[in-house]
Amino acid sequence: MGIISTIMGVFGFGIGTTIGIVIGYFMFIYSQPTDVKDPDIRPLVEKDSKSLEQLLPEIPVWVKNPDYDRIDWLNKFIEYMWPYLDKAICKMAKKIAEPIIAEQIPKYKIDSVDFEALTLGCLPPTFEGIKVYNTEEKELIMELGLKWAANPNILVAAKAFGLKATVQVVDLQVFACPRITLKPLVPSFPCFANIHVSLMEKPHVDFGVKLLGADAMSIPGVYRIVQELIKDQVANMYLWPKRLEVQIMDPAKAMKKPVGILNVNIQRAMKLKKKDLLGASDPYVKLKLTDDKLPSKKTTVKHKNLNPEWNEEFTFVVKDPEAQVLELNVFDWEQVGTHDKMGLNVIPLKELTPEEPKTFTLDLLKNLNPDDVQNEKSRGQLVVLVNYKPFKENEVPTNVEDSDGVQKAPEGTPAGGGLLVILVHEAQDLEGKNHTNPSARILFRGEERKTKVVKKNRDPRWDEEFQFMLDEPPTNERVHIEVTSTSKRMGLLHPKESLGYVDIYLSDVVSNKRINERYHLIDSKNGRIQIEMQWRTSS
């Protein structure tokens, strides 16, 4: 009887459990809770700030602060470059850390500390926005919103007393707002001498540490202690106004001041080779001093002459006579199209003896490669007289900061007069009705000067210089500059058309010595032209 009751009890429990599960399943599927409400659907503009924070817990900095601009392009660039940036940053960090470690380990009787693995992972940092400050100083100040959830693998092994211990850093998170200052700005690439980095608030830093293979951050209380310790240490080192300074170049070398004047006299050329199919060449010389931001200087064009004589003088400001080189290029002038190069050569300033004029007879070369067999071919010669005059201690200019300063007029300038220099740099958004092959035409005191023609280009760049020697300052005069488009196609109804013009009054040039402005062209819808003018006097 006892056995039968036991069997029936087990059988009944099994049946009852099965029936209960089936009934509960159907009740769960077909019954609806009474406390569930329909969601409140409203436009975002009607929601309060608390509701928005619940929907968007991570609001980008450019949304919260209108002074910040989006820089999605930078994030995309970093994403593509990250595999290479990762290796470069790790290599740099290792190079910086190893000397510091080597200096510290003897104090703690450690045999060695080595990086067994060092990579920042495959997830690049993200910049949420950027804010740029405009100051009157020679500096550029930027503030960035940085977020970085990385998967690095930093494995450091330490050996001491015959034992080895490993520490691994994983799962790194950094949220920070760094201020980056590039200063001083200098006229040498990359155009800034130092990088200063400060933090505008304590950063959020989170990471995991595995010690001997175990997660050390899981020990109760360790995580919070390490978090606060890192925040305080980083803040003590880099929280504004404290900063990390990285020197890119020596500011003293980048902002070198003039040490002398180089006088160059282009005398003549001999036995130049004919470039034109019909008739002789039309040579001129273009000369430039390396590390000088001003455009190249040019002689006049000697038409149909293979043995031209110029006897024209030019002056350059010298900043580094040991490194700078005078570059000389001879071109064949063409009325349409690019000018053909006839040959070149250079004169290193370190070969000059100060205050001793020296005449060079230079063989024109194809290029500066000494192993190029093409340089064995005769291209003619160029005769140049060069004289380097260093400043005396009481003559060194103190107000010259860069090569944008206005030079003095050459010797022979009329007393009370000067040299008007017009530099036609570039134009934008030009558009002709029939063709767009722009060139600039300068009209001043009955003289006409023209730049080269740039074919099929709405944004041409000329960078050509024109000079006018005047007996008196052109205070009440103006210059007429017109951009025209020319076509040489046969049978075209409109071989030439105007793309716009501008009249520039010269009173500001005389009073300020130099102007560099972008002008809207008259009779052009969107066209603009950039013109620089200088008024050079002998005083």
Side-chain angles (χ1 to χ4, degrees), residues 235-292:
N236 290 335
M237 295 172 63
Y238 305 122
L239 192 64
W240 192 87
K242 298 178 182 179
R243 62 193 181 188
L244 168 67
E245 181 174 343
V246 180
Q247 188 177 60
I248 304 300
M249 64 175 69
D250 186 354
K253 293 182 179 180
M255 302 183 68
K256 287 182 178 178
K257 293 186 176 181
V259 296
I261 291 292
L262 181 69
N263 294 321
V264 182
N265 184 297
I266 305 296
Q267 295 186 336
R268 63 185 180 275
M270 302 173 292
K271 300 179 181 179
L272 298 178
K273 298 304 177 183
K274 189 170 75 169
K275 283 287 185 179
D276 296 337
L277 296 177
L278 301 175
S281 299
D282 306 315
Y284 70 92
V285 182
K286 181 183 289 188
L287 56 162
K288 181 177 177 62
L289 200 61
T290 56
D291 297 332
D292 191 349

Short mmCIF file of all heavy atoms in Angstrom, two decimals, residues 235-292:
data_model
loop_
_atom_site.label_atom_id
_atom_site.label_comp_id
_atom_site.label_asym_id
_atom_site.label_seq_id
_atom_site.Cartn_x
_atom_site.Cartn_y
_atom_site.Cartn_z
N ALA A 235 46.04 66.23 -13.04
CA ALA A 235 45.64 67.62 -12.85
C ALA A 235 46.80 68.44 -12.29
O ALA A 235 47.01 69.59 -12.69
CB ALA A 235 44.44 67.69 -11.91
N ASN A 236 47.56 67.87 -11.38
CA ASN A 236 48.70 68.60 -10.81
C ASN A 236 49.75 68.92 -11.87
O ASN A 236 50.45 69.93 -11.78
CB ASN A 236 49.34 67.80 -9.68
CG ASN A 236 48.44 67.73 -8.45
OD1 ASN A 236 47.61 68.62 -8.24
ND2 ASN A 236 48.61 66.70 -7.65
N MET A 237 49.85 68.07 -12.88
CA MET A 237 50.87 68.25 -13.90
C MET A 237 50.41 69.15 -15.05
O MET A 237 51.18 69.98 -15.55
CB MET A 237 51.30 66.89 -14.45
CG MET A 237 51.99 66.00 -13.44
SD MET A 237 52.25 64.33 -14.06
CE MET A 237 53.34 64.64 -15.44
N TYR A 238 49.14 69.01 -15.47
CA TYR A 238 48.72 69.64 -16.72
C TYR A 238 47.44 70.46 -16.62
O TYR A 238 46.98 70.96 -17.64
CB TYR A 238 48.53 68.57 -17.81
CG TYR A 238 49.75 67.72 -18.03
CD1 TYR A 238 49.70 66.34 -17.89
CD2 TYR A 238 50.97 68.29 -18.36
CE1 TYR A 238 50.83 65.56 -18.08
CE2 TYR A 238 52.10 67.52 -18.55
CZ TYR A 238 52.02 66.16 -18.41
OH TYR A 238 53.13 65.39 -18.60
N LEU A 239 46.84 70.61 -15.44
CA LEU A 239 45.63 71.42 -15.33
C LEU A 239 46.00 72.89 -15.48
O LEU A 239 46.94 73.37 -14.83
CB LEU A 239 44.93 71.17 -14.00
CG LEU A 239 43.51 71.74 -13.88
CD1 LEU A 239 42.58 71.06 -14.88
CD2 LEU A 239 42.98 71.55 -12.46
N TRP A 240 45.29 73.59 -16.38
CA TRP A 240 45.62 74.98 -16.68
C TRP A 240 45.70 75.81 -15.41
O TRP A 240 44.87 75.65 -14.52
CB TRP A 240 44.53 75.56 -17.61
CG TRP A 240 44.90 76.87 -18.22
CD1 TRP A 240 45.60 77.09 -19.36
CD2 TRP A 240 44.58 78.16 -17.69
NE1 TRP A 240 45.75 78.43 -19.58
CE2 TRP A 240 45.14 79.11 -18.57
CE3 TRP A 240 43.92 78.61 -16.55
CZ2 TRP A 240 45.03 80.48 -18.34
CZ3 TRP A 240 43.80 79.96 -16.32
CH2 TRP A 240 44.36 80.88 -17.23
N PRO A 241 46.71 76.68 -15.21
CA PRO A 241 47.66 77.17 -16.21
C PRO A 241 48.93 76.33 -16.38
O PRO A 241 49.81 76.73 -17.14
CB PRO A 241 48.00 78.57 -15.69
CG PRO A 241 47.93 78.43 -14.21
CD PRO A 241 46.81 77.46 -13.97
N LYS A 242 49.03 75.20 -15.69
CA LYS A 242 50.18 74.33 -15.94
C LYS A 242 50.02 73.67 -17.30
O LYS A 242 48.91 73.50 -17.80
CB LYS A 242 50.27 73.27 -14.84
CG LYS A 242 50.51 73.87 -13.46
CD LYS A 242 50.54 72.80 -12.39
CE LYS A 242 50.74 73.40 -11.01
NZ LYS A 242 50.75 72.36 -9.95
N ARG A 243 51.13 73.26 -17.90
CA ARG A 243 51.05 72.78 -19.26
C ARG A 243 52.21 71.87 -19.60
O ARG A 243 53.26 71.89 -18.94
CB ARG A 243 51.04 73.96 -20.25
CG ARG A 243 52.30 74.80 -20.20
CD ARG A 243 52.15 76.12 -20.92
NE ARG A 243 53.38 76.90 -20.87
CZ ARG A 243 53.48 78.15 -21.28
NH1 ARG A 243 52.41 78.76 -21.77
NH2 ARG A 243 54.62 78.80 -21.22
N LEU A 244 51.99 71.08 -20.63
CA LEU A 244 53.04 70.26 -21.22
C LEU A 244 53.54 70.98 -22.46
O LEU A 244 52.76 71.35 -23.33
CB LEU A 244 52.48 68.88 -21.60
CG LEU A 244 53.38 68.01 -22.48
CD1 LEU A 244 54.62 67.58 -21.71
CD2 LEU A 244 52.62 66.79 -22.99
N GLU A 245 54.85 71.18 -22.55
CA GLU A 245 55.43 71.91 -23.67
C GLU A 245 56.27 70.97 -24.52
O GLU A 245 57.14 70.25 -24.00
CB GLU A 245 56.30 73.07 -23.17
CG GLU A 245 56.91 73.89 -24.30
CD GLU A 245 57.65 75.11 -23.79
OE1 GLU A 245 57.43 75.49 -22.61
OE2 GLU A 245 58.45 75.69 -24.56
N VAL A 246 55.99 70.96 -25.81
CA VAL A 246 56.75 70.15 -26.77
C VAL A 246 57.38 71.10 -27.78
O VAL A 246 56.67 71.83 -28.48
CB VAL A 246 55.84 69.14 -27.49
CG1 VAL A 246 56.66 68.31 -28.47
CG2 VAL A 246 55.14 68.23 -26.48
N GLN A 247 58.69 71.10 -27.85
CA GLN A 247 59.39 72.00 -28.77
C GLN A 247 59.51 71.36 -30.15
O GLN A 247 59.99 70.24 -30.29
CB GLN A 247 60.78 72.36 -28.24
CG GLN A 247 61.47 73.44 -29.06
CD GLN A 247 62.82 73.84 -28.50
OE1 GLN A 247 63.71 73.02 -28.38
NE2 GLN A 247 62.95 75.12 -28.16
N ILE A 248 59.06 72.06 -31.16
CA ILE A 248 59.13 71.58 -32.54
C ILE A 248 60.40 72.09 -33.22
O ILE A 248 61.06 71.38 -33.96
CB ILE A 248 57.89 72.03 -33.32
CG1 ILE A 248 56.61 71.55 -32.60
CG2 ILE A 248 57.93 71.51 -34.75
CD1 ILE A 248 56.51 70.04 -32.46
N MET A 249 60.73 73.35 -32.97
CA MET A 249 61.95 73.93 -33.54
C MET A 249 62.42 75.04 -32.63
O MET A 249 61.69 75.49 -31.74
CB MET A 249 61.70 74.47 -34.95
CG MET A 249 60.70 75.61 -35.01
SD MET A 249 60.53 76.31 -36.67
CE MET A 249 59.72 74.97 -37.50
N ASP A 250 63.64 75.45 -32.82
CA ASP A 250 64.20 76.55 -32.04
C ASP A 250 63.62 77.87 -32.54
O ASP A 250 63.84 78.25 -33.68
CB ASP A 250 65.72 76.56 -32.18
CG ASP A 250 66.38 77.58 -31.26
OD1 ASP A 250 65.64 78.35 -30.62
OD2 ASP A 250 67.61 77.62 -31.19
N PRO A 251 62.84 78.59 -31.69
CA PRO A 251 62.24 79.84 -32.16
C PRO A 251 63.28 80.86 -32.62
O PRO A 251 63.02 81.64 -33.53
CB PRO A 251 61.47 80.35 -30.92
CG PRO A 251 61.27 79.14 -30.06
CD PRO A 251 62.46 78.26 -30.31
N ALA A 252 64.46 80.85 -31.99
CA ALA A 252 65.48 81.82 -32.39
C ALA A 252 65.93 81.58 -33.83
O ALA A 252 66.14 82.51 -34.60
CB ALA A 252 66.67 81.73 -31.45
N LYS A 253 66.04 80.29 -34.21
CA LYS A 253 66.44 79.99 -35.57
C LYS A 253 65.29 80.21 -36.54
O LYS A 253 65.50 80.63 -37.68
CB LYS A 253 66.91 78.54 -35.67
CG LYS A 253 68.21 78.27 -34.92
CD LYS A 253 68.65 76.83 -35.11
CE LYS A 253 69.97 76.57 -34.39
NZ LYS A 253 70.42 75.17 -34.55
N ALA A 254 64.06 79.91 -36.09
CA ALA A 254 62.90 80.05 -36.98
C ALA A 254 62.61 81.52 -37.28
O ALA A 254 62.07 81.84 -38.34
CB ALA A 254 61.68 79.39 -36.37
N MET A 255 62.92 82.39 -36.34
CA MET A 255 62.62 83.82 -36.52
C MET A 255 63.92 84.61 -36.67
O MET A 255 64.12 85.63 -36.02
CB MET A 255 61.80 84.33 -35.34
CG MET A 255 60.49 83.60 -35.14
SD MET A 255 59.48 84.26 -33.83
CE MET A 255 59.01 85.84 -34.52
N LYS A 256 64.80 84.12 -37.49
CA LYS A 256 66.07 84.80 -37.70
C LYS A 256 65.85 86.20 -38.26
O LYS A 256 65.01 86.41 -39.12
CB LYS A 256 66.94 83.99 -38.66
CG LYS A 256 67.52 82.73 -38.03
CD LYS A 256 68.41 82.02 -39.02
CE LYS A 256 69.02 80.78 -38.39
NZ LYS A 256 69.86 80.02 -39.34
N LYS A 257 66.64 87.11 -37.75
CA LYS A 257 66.58 88.47 -38.24
C LYS A 257 67.65 88.69 -39.30
O LYS A 257 68.65 87.97 -39.36
CB LYS A 257 66.77 89.45 -37.08
CG LYS A 257 65.60 89.42 -36.09
CD LYS A 257 65.73 90.49 -35.04
CE LYS A 257 64.52 90.50 -34.11
NZ LYS A 257 64.62 91.54 -33.08
N PRO A 258 67.47 89.69 -40.15
CA PRO A 258 68.45 89.93 -41.21
C PRO A 258 69.84 90.20 -40.65
O PRO A 258 70.00 90.87 -39.63
CB PRO A 258 67.89 91.16 -41.92
CG PRO A 258 66.43 91.15 -41.61
CD PRO A 258 66.31 90.58 -40.24
N VAL A 259 70.85 89.66 -41.34
CA VAL A 259 72.24 89.87 -40.94
C VAL A 259 73.03 90.60 -42.02
O VAL A 259 74.18 90.95 -41.81
CB VAL A 259 72.93 88.53 -40.60
CG1 VAL A 259 72.26 87.89 -39.41
CG2 VAL A 259 72.91 87.60 -41.80
N GLY A 260 72.40 90.81 -43.18
CA GLY A 260 73.12 91.49 -44.25
C GLY A 260 72.28 91.66 -45.49
O GLY A 260 71.11 91.27 -45.55
N ILE A 261 72.89 92.28 -46.49
CA ILE A 261 72.25 92.55 -47.77
C ILE A 261 73.06 91.89 -48.89
O ILE A 261 74.30 91.95 -48.89
CB ILE A 261 72.15 94.07 -48.03
CG1 ILE A 261 71.16 94.71 -47.05
CG2 ILE A 261 71.72 94.36 -49.46
CD1 ILE A 261 69.71 94.31 -47.27
N LEU A 262 72.37 91.28 -49.83
CA LEU A 262 73.01 90.68 -50.99
C LEU A 262 72.65 91.50 -52.23
O LEU A 262 71.47 91.59 -52.59
CB LEU A 262 72.56 89.23 -51.17
CG LEU A 262 73.19 88.50 -52.36
CD1 LEU A 262 74.68 88.26 -52.11
CD2 LEU A 262 72.47 87.18 -52.62
N ASN A 263 73.64 92.08 -52.84
CA ASN A 263 73.43 92.84 -54.08
C ASN A 263 73.80 91.95 -55.27
O ASN A 263 74.89 91.38 -55.31
CB ASN A 263 74.29 94.11 -54.10
CG ASN A 263 73.87 95.10 -53.03
OD1 ASN A 263 72.69 95.28 -52.78
ND2 ASN A 263 74.84 95.76 -52.40
N VAL A 264 72.87 91.83 -56.20
CA VAL A 264 73.07 90.97 -57.36
C VAL A 264 72.91 91.81 -58.62
O VAL A 264 71.91 92.52 -58.78
CB VAL A 264 72.06 89.80 -57.36
CG1 VAL A 264 72.31 88.89 -58.57
CG2 VAL A 264 72.15 89.01 -56.08
N ASN A 265 73.89 91.70 -59.51
CA ASN A 265 73.81 92.39 -60.80
C ASN A 265 73.81 91.32 -61.89
O ASN A 265 74.81 90.63 -62.10
CB ASN A 265 75.00 93.34 -60.98
CG ASN A 265 74.91 94.15 -62.26
OD1 ASN A 265 74.92 93.59 -63.36
ND2 ASN A 265 74.82 95.45 -62.12
N ILE A 266 72.67 91.18 -62.57
CA ILE A 266 72.58 90.25 -63.70
C ILE A 266 73.15 90.99 -64.91
O ILE A 266 72.52 91.91 -65.45
CB ILE A 266 71.12 89.82 -63.95
CG1 ILE A 266 70.52 89.23 -62.68
CG2 ILE A 266 71.06 88.81 -65.09
CD1 ILE A 266 71.18 87.97 -62.20
N GLN A 267 74.35 90.61 -65.33
CA GLN A 267 75.03 91.37 -66.37
C GLN A 267 74.63 90.91 -67.77
O GLN A 267 74.06 91.68 -68.54
CB GLN A 267 76.55 91.25 -66.17
CG GLN A 267 77.01 91.91 -64.87
CD GLN A 267 78.52 91.93 -64.72
OE1 GLN A 267 79.24 91.11 -65.31
NE2 GLN A 267 79.03 92.87 -63.93
N ARG A 268 74.91 89.68 -68.11
CA ARG A 268 74.60 89.22 -69.47
C ARG A 268 74.58 87.70 -69.51
O ARG A 268 74.98 87.02 -68.57
CB ARG A 268 75.66 89.76 -70.45
CG ARG A 268 77.06 89.25 -70.18
CD ARG A 268 78.07 89.90 -71.09
NE ARG A 268 79.43 89.42 -70.82
CZ ARG A 268 80.22 89.91 -69.88
NH1 ARG A 268 79.78 90.90 -69.10
NH2 ARG A 268 81.44 89.43 -69.71
N ALA A 269 74.11 87.19 -70.65
CA ALA A 269 74.16 85.76 -70.94
C ALA A 269 74.82 85.58 -72.30
O ALA A 269 74.78 86.47 -73.16
CB ALA A 269 72.76 85.15 -70.94
N MET A 270 75.40 84.39 -72.48
CA MET A 270 76.15 84.15 -73.71
C MET A 270 75.81 82.78 -74.27
O MET A 270 75.64 81.80 -73.52
CB MET A 270 77.66 84.23 -73.44
CG MET A 270 78.11 85.57 -72.86
SD MET A 270 79.86 85.56 -72.36
CE MET A 270 79.80 84.41 -70.98
N LYS A 271 75.70 82.71 -75.59
CA LYS A 271 75.53 81.46 -76.32
C LYS A 271 74.32 80.65 -75.84
O LYS A 271 74.39 79.44 -75.66
CB LYS A 271 76.79 80.62 -76.23
CG LYS A 271 78.03 81.30 -76.79
CD LYS A 271 79.26 80.43 -76.65
CE LYS A 271 80.51 81.12 -77.20
NZ LYS A 271 81.72 80.28 -77.03
N LEU A 272 73.21 81.34 -75.60
CA LEU A 272 71.99 80.63 -75.23
C LEU A 272 71.47 79.83 -76.42
O LEU A 272 71.68 80.20 -77.58
CB LEU A 272 70.92 81.63 -74.76
CG LEU A 272 71.25 82.46 -73.52
CD1 LEU A 272 70.12 83.43 -73.21
CD2 LEU A 272 71.54 81.57 -72.31
N LYS A 273 70.78 78.74 -76.13
CA LYS A 273 70.26 77.88 -77.17
C LYS A 273 68.87 78.34 -77.60
O LYS A 273 68.05 78.74 -76.77
CB LYS A 273 70.21 76.42 -76.70
CG LYS A 273 71.59 75.87 -76.35
CD LYS A 273 72.56 75.99 -77.53
CE LYS A 273 73.96 75.53 -77.18
NZ LYS A 273 74.91 75.72 -78.29
N LYS A 274 68.63 78.25 -78.90
CA LYS A 274 67.35 78.71 -79.46
C LYS A 274 66.24 77.77 -79.04
O LYS A 274 66.35 76.54 -79.16
CB LYS A 274 67.43 78.78 -80.98
CG LYS A 274 66.22 79.46 -81.61
CD LYS A 274 66.44 79.72 -83.09
CE LYS A 274 66.32 78.45 -83.89
NZ LYS A 274 66.26 78.74 -85.36
N LYS A 275 65.16 78.35 -78.51
CA LYS A 275 64.01 77.56 -78.09
C LYS A 275 62.85 77.65 -79.07
O LYS A 275 62.06 76.72 -79.20
CB LYS A 275 63.54 78.03 -76.71
CG LYS A 275 64.40 77.55 -75.55
CD LYS A 275 64.20 76.07 -75.29
CE LYS A 275 64.96 75.59 -74.09
NZ LYS A 275 64.72 74.15 -73.82
N ASP A 276 62.73 78.78 -79.74
CA ASP A 276 61.61 78.97 -80.66
C ASP A 276 61.93 78.35 -82.02
O ASP A 276 63.07 78.39 -82.49
CB ASP A 276 61.31 80.47 -80.83
CG ASP A 276 60.86 81.11 -79.54
OD1 ASP A 276 60.38 80.36 -78.66
OD2 ASP A 276 61.03 82.33 -79.40
N LEU A 277 60.92 77.80 -82.65
CA LEU A 277 61.10 77.22 -83.97
C LEU A 277 61.39 78.30 -85.01
O LEU A 277 62.16 78.11 -85.94
CB LEU A 277 59.86 76.42 -84.37
CG LEU A 277 59.54 75.18 -83.50
CD1 LEU A 277 58.25 74.55 -83.96
CD2 LEU A 277 60.69 74.18 -83.60
N LEU A 278 60.73 79.44 -84.84
CA LEU A 278 60.92 80.54 -85.78
C LEU A 278 61.56 81.70 -85.03
O LEU A 278 60.99 82.24 -84.09
CB LEU A 278 59.58 80.98 -86.38
CG LEU A 278 58.83 79.89 -87.16
CD1 LEU A 278 57.47 80.41 -87.61
CD2 LEU A 278 59.64 79.42 -88.38
N GLY A 279 62.75 82.11 -85.42
CA GLY A 279 63.40 83.22 -84.77
C GLY A 279 64.15 82.81 -83.53
O GLY A 279 64.18 81.65 -83.13
N ALA A 280 64.81 83.80 -82.87
CA ALA A 280 65.60 83.56 -81.67
C ALA A 280 64.69 83.54 -80.44
O ALA A 280 63.50 83.83 -80.51
CB ALA A 280 66.67 84.64 -81.53
N SER A 281 65.30 83.21 -79.31
CA SER A 281 64.54 83.14 -78.05
C SER A 281 64.38 84.52 -77.45
O SER A 281 65.02 85.49 -77.86
CB SER A 281 65.27 82.21 -77.08
OG SER A 281 65.36 80.90 -77.59
N ASP A 282 63.49 84.60 -76.44
CA ASP A 282 63.22 85.85 -75.72
C ASP A 282 63.58 85.63 -74.25
O ASP A 282 62.69 85.41 -73.40
CB ASP A 282 61.75 86.26 -75.85
CG ASP A 282 61.31 86.33 -77.31
OD1 ASP A 282 62.07 86.91 -78.12
OD2 ASP A 282 60.23 85.80 -77.64
N PRO A 283 64.86 85.69 -73.87
CA PRO A 283 65.27 85.27 -72.52
C PRO A 283 65.03 86.32 -71.44
O PRO A 283 65.04 87.54 -71.70
CB PRO A 283 66.76 84.99 -72.69
CG PRO A 283 67.18 85.91 -73.80
CD PRO A 283 66.01 86.01 -74.73
N TYR A 284 64.80 85.84 -70.24
CA TYR A 284 64.81 86.67 -69.04
C TYR A 284 65.28 85.79 -67.88
O TYR A 284 65.26 84.55 -67.97
CB TYR A 284 63.44 87.29 -68.74
CG TYR A 284 62.38 86.33 -68.28
CD1 TYR A 284 62.18 86.08 -66.93
CD2 TYR A 284 61.57 85.66 -69.20
CE1 TYR A 284 61.19 85.19 -66.50
CE2 TYR A 284 60.59 84.78 -68.79
CZ TYR A 284 60.41 84.55 -67.43
OH TYR A 284 59.44 83.67 -67.01
N VAL A 285 65.71 86.40 -66.80
CA VAL A 285 66.26 85.68 -65.65
C VAL A 285 65.34 85.86 -64.45
O VAL A 285 64.92 86.99 -64.14
CB VAL A 285 67.68 86.17 -65.29
CG1 VAL A 285 68.25 85.36 -64.12
CG2 VAL A 285 68.60 86.07 -66.50
N LYS A 286 65.05 84.75 -63.80
CA LYS A 286 64.28 84.77 -62.55
C LYS A 286 65.22 84.36 -61.43
O LYS A 286 65.89 83.32 -61.51
CB LYS A 286 63.08 83.82 -62.63
CG LYS A 286 62.22 83.82 -61.37
CD LYS A 286 61.09 82.80 -61.46
CE LYS A 286 60.03 83.23 -62.44
NZ LYS A 286 58.85 82.32 -62.39
N LEU A 287 65.29 85.16 -60.37
CA LEU A 287 66.22 84.88 -59.29
C LEU A 287 65.52 84.97 -57.94
O LEU A 287 64.61 85.77 -57.74
CB LEU A 287 67.43 85.82 -59.33
CG LEU A 287 67.22 87.34 -59.31
CD1 LEU A 287 68.52 88.03 -58.92
CD2 LEU A 287 66.80 87.87 -60.69
N LYS A 288 65.97 84.10 -57.03
CA LYS A 288 65.33 84.01 -55.72
C LYS A 288 66.36 83.51 -54.71
O LYS A 288 67.23 82.70 -55.04
CB LYS A 288 64.14 83.05 -55.77
CG LYS A 288 63.39 82.89 -54.45
CD LYS A 288 62.20 81.98 -54.61
CE LYS A 288 61.48 81.75 -53.29
NZ LYS A 288 60.93 83.00 -52.72
N LEU A 289 66.22 83.99 -53.47
CA LEU A 289 67.05 83.53 -52.37
C LEU A 289 66.26 82.49 -51.58
O LEU A 289 65.11 82.73 -51.21
CB LEU A 289 67.44 84.72 -51.48
CG LEU A 289 68.65 84.55 -50.56
CD1 LEU A 289 69.90 84.30 -51.37
CD2 LEU A 289 68.81 85.78 -49.69
N THR A 290 66.86 81.33 -51.33
CA THR A 290 66.15 80.29 -50.60
C THR A 290 65.76 80.78 -49.21
O THR A 290 66.44 81.64 -48.62
CB THR A 290 67.02 79.02 -50.47
OG1 THR A 290 68.26 79.37 -49.86
CG2 THR A 290 67.27 78.40 -51.83
N ASP A 291 64.66 80.22 -48.69
CA ASP A 291 64.10 80.60 -47.38
C ASP A 291 63.61 82.03 -47.35
O ASP A 291 63.51 82.65 -46.29
CB ASP A 291 65.12 80.39 -46.25
CG ASP A 291 65.51 78.94 -46.09
OD1 ASP A 291 64.68 78.07 -46.42
OD2 ASP A 291 66.64 78.67 -45.64
N ASP A 292 63.30 82.59 -48.52
CA ASP A 292 62.73 83.93 -48.61
C ASP A 292 61.29 83.80 -49.10
O ASP A 292 61.04 83.18 -50.13
CB ASP A 292 63.54 84.78 -49.59
CG ASP A 292 63.16 86.26 -49.52
OD1 ASP A 292 62.15 86.57 -48.87
OD2 ASP A 292 63.88 87.09 -50.11
#
